Amino acid sequence: MKLWKLLILITLPAWLALAGGCAVISENECQAGLWYERGIEDGARGRSQATVYQIAQKCHEYGVRTDTESWLRGYEEGVEQFCTPENGFVVGRRGHNYEGVCTGPTADLFLVNYERGLAVYQAEQQYAALERQYYEAEREIARIEHALEETESKDEAKSLRSQRRSLLREMRHLEAEMMRFGGFGAFNPTLFY
């Protein structure tokens, strides 16, 4: 048995158990029975085929039988819509997980673009974290400046000035780090394509 099939067989039950806690379908949706349409929707969102088992389990609780064949026909159509190179970039850029649903010739192109989009997303998240640290240091310096105006103790003033110097060094370091992403206040996503 191929390794990827073995991994699916091992991880699918655990994944279903974890995902089973969230409502994948409402009772009204089960009653409506728009299985083909639901399959298109789930496929176009890049959900795995395991979704149909979750739907069937939930609908069974409501006493409704799932038309799995109709769902699978719709799902295949939806996956074709999902597995485009352009959508791969969009999915990655939004930081969404990819469940490995693409197959055939489009799978490689989708994955390459997904990884490019994900790299941009991750870089943007790193940049945002640096920017938050910078503004926190800036606020702390303002607090220290105010404390320096209020203090009458030479020892306390010396300690506050030392803290201010340390924060200013940290801000210079953060500015240098942000330059890797396009500059301070100017995240440039094209650097990561």
Side-chain angles (χ1 to χ4, degrees), residues 37-183:
E37 293 80 1
R38 177 63 191 243
I40 291 173
E41 180 184 320
D42 289 336
R45 289 185 176 174
R47 295 182 177 148
S48 77
Q49 278 191 356
T51 303
V52 75
Y53 301 110
Q54 296 170 329
I55 290 170
Q57 183 179 16
K58 195 66 175 170
C59 288
H60 179 74
E61 292 174 16
Y62 300 129
V64 177
R65 187 178 182 291
T66 306
D67 184 352
T68 306
E69 287 181 24
S70 291
W71 185 91
L72 285 170
R73 281 194 312 275
Y75 176 81
E76 291 301 322
E77 188 176 318
V79 166
E80 284 181 30
Q81 296 170 18
F82 177 80
C83 294
T84 65
E86 298 80 18
N87 194 47
F89 184 81
V90 170
V91 170
R93 181 68 175 89
R94 291 180 179 161
H96 294 182
N97 289 329
Y98 169 54
E99 296 185 31
V101 300
C102 301
T103 58
T106 60
D108 291 340
L109 289 173
F110 177 92
L111 191 56
V112 164
N113 285 308
Y114 170 78
E115 289 172 349
R116 285 178 50 223
L118 189 60
V120 173
Y121 172 80
Q122 290 169 340
E124 188 173 40
Q125 297 304 304
Q126 291 172 348
Y127 179 82
L130 291 169
E131 199 171 44
R132 280 191 302 275
Q133 290 173 5
Y134 183 89
Y135 289 124
E136 286 172 17
E138 196 173 56
R139 281 190 296 276
E140 184 63 15
I141 286 175
R143 186 196 65 74
I144 288 171
E145 294 288 345
H146 180 72
L148 274 169
E149 291 173 8
E150 300 291 318
T151 190
E152 294 181 14
S153 165
K154 288 184 180 186
D155 288 339
E156 185 179 351
K158 182 178 178 181
S159 173
L160 288 168
R161 282 191 292 275
S162 173
Q163 290 175 34
R164 182 177 58 191
R165 280 191 304 275
S166 177
L167 285 166
L168 287 169
R169 276 192 304 274
E170 180 183 342
M171 288 174 70
R172 282 193 302 273
H173 172 74
L174 290 167
E175 287 172 357
E177 285 292 308
M178 285 188 273
M179 290 304 289
R180 294 182 318 133
F181 297 93

